[in-house]
Amino acid sequence: MSAGAVASGGVWRRFLRHRVALGGAVVVALLLSAALFAPALAPQDPTLLDTSVRFLAPFADPRFPLGTDELGRDTLSRLLHGGRVSLTVGLVAMATTVLTGAAIGIAAGYLGGLADTLLMRFVDTMLCFPQVFLLLVVAAFVPPTLLSISLVIGLTSWMEVSRIVRAEILNLKEQDFVAAARALGASRARIMFRELLPNAAAPILVAATLKVASAVLMESYISYLGYGVQPPLASWGNMLTNAQGYFDTIPWLAVLPGLAITATVMGFNFLGDGLRDALDPRLRMDP
């Protein structure tokens, strides 16, 4: 059996022993499945208005298992389709974050010198501004579409990833395999993306998992403030926005999307924590 297979088997065993991470993985799998199959699972059209059944309580009518909102729309259908939107934003924003942060981190860590100094000062400058402030400033000038919101969130949250990747590259570039690649005449691009990047995959994978949770939360923030996904398209954030005026009398309209956001953030965070512990190099010699 190869060393890589043994190492991956050890990582898998450590992850399976992490019960909280397993719980997070199950929650994430359920949420992704619900979002993927939302059209088949939703009992009603999430945009269908029927003012004759406004504010139905959960389980009051078998046609609307989780009740209806202020416009008579089915809450369960909107939760499922809203999850589709929120998780899509989270995944696209995560991909944007990871690609941008990894590229800058690899370049800064491997090139060093002036390039490293300039890139890291740029990262420090970006970190000086609160992300919510950056999001609202950019959102004021960019039409709020699903893609634009995802890209804006991703392009304002890559800085931590770049620092993580840079630190990993600074360690890896001193290893023998990098010296061997240089001796064989490999180009800088080949060394960075064919040699260093695969060996820095573990911290990038953990950061990616955690960034999905962060992006879902940020989408909820800006949707709650009115700059996110626009009606009639449902997201958990704009469901909270619509429900805020009824919280005292119809609390489930806010509680249900709030629980969905909480479950998503906790699930991805627990999954990320488990991956981090399983991939910790100090644990790789465990039986």
Side-chain angles (χ1 to χ4, degrees):
M1 183 179 294
S2 68
V6 173
S8 62
V11 168
W12 181 242
R13 286 195 299 272
R14 284 193 294 275
F15 182 80
L16 289 178
R17 289 201 297 264
H18 200 302
R19 294 185 179 180
V20 174
L22 279 178
V26 170
V27 170
V28 168
L30 290 174
L31 288 167
L32 291 175
S33 298
L36 182 63
F37 298 107
L41 295 174
Q44 306 285 341
D45 182 342
T47 62
L48 180 64
L49 308 181
D50 185 355
T51 55
S52 65
V53 289
R54 297 170 65 233
F55 298 127
L56 282 180
F59 311 114
D61 188 323
R63 296 175 298 164
F64 308 102
L66 294 182
T68 57
D69 64 7
E70 71 280 5
L71 297 176
R73 295 172 296 191
D74 180 52
T75 302
L76 176 58
S77 299
R78 288 181 63 76
L79 278 174
L80 291 171
H81 284 268
R84 213 175 197 202
V85 170
S86 294
L87 289 171
T88 297
V89 170
L91 292 171
V92 174
M94 175 272 291
T96 306
T97 296
V98 169
L99 290 174
T100 305
I104 291 177
I106 290 171
Y110 183 73
L111 298 177
L114 181 61
D116 183 25
T117 300
L118 291 175
L119 288 172
M120 286 301 102
R121 295 301 73 76
F122 176 60
V123 170
D124 292 340
T125 302
M126 292 289 291
L127 286 170
C128 289
F129 299 97
Q131 187 183 359
V132 175
F133 173 75
L134 286 175
L135 281 171
L136 293 178
V137 169
V138 177
F141 298 97
V142 178
T145 66
L146 193 61
L147 180 60
S148 68
I149 291 168
S150 303
L151 293 177
V152 166
I153 293 174
L155 292 172
T156 56
S157 59
W158 53 266
M159 293 77 75
E160 294 87 354
V161 176
S162 69
R163 284 187 160 185
I164 292 169
V165 173
R166 174 182 176 269
E168 190 72 12
I169 297 301
L170 286 174
N171 176 55
L172 289 172
K173 76 175 185 178
E174 303 301 328
Q175 302 297 317
D176 291 341
F177 71 91
V178 176
R182 288 199 197 100
L184 291 171
S187 65
R188 285 182 173 181
R190 180 181 177 84
I191 292 173
M192 285 192 290
F193 295 104
R194 293 291 298 275
E195 304 293 341
L196 291 172
L197 182 59
N199 285 283
I204 294 174
L205 178 61
V206 174
T209 307
L210 298 175
K211 282 298 177 181
V212 176
S214 175
V216 169
L217 204 55
M218 293 308 300
E219 183 276 328
S220 301
Y221 286 161
I222 62 174
S223 291
Y224 184 77
L225 295 172
Y227 290 95
V229 177
Q230 299 298 304
L233 195 63
S235 77
W236 293 333
N238 65 27
M239 288 180 71
L240 280 175
T241 303
N242 297 336
Q244 63 180 330
Y246 308 100
F247 188 75
D248 291 340
T249 54
I250 320 290
W252 65 82
L253 291 180
V255 169
L256 292 173
L259 288 175
I261 294 169
T262 301
T264 302
V265 172
M266 291 181 66
F268 277 103
N269 280 336
F270 289 156
L271 177 59
D273 287 343
L275 288 173
R276 181 191 59 205
D277 293 345
L279 294 167
D280 190 335
R282 292 169 298 180
L283 302 177
R284 288 183 182 168
M285 297 305 293
D286 288 354

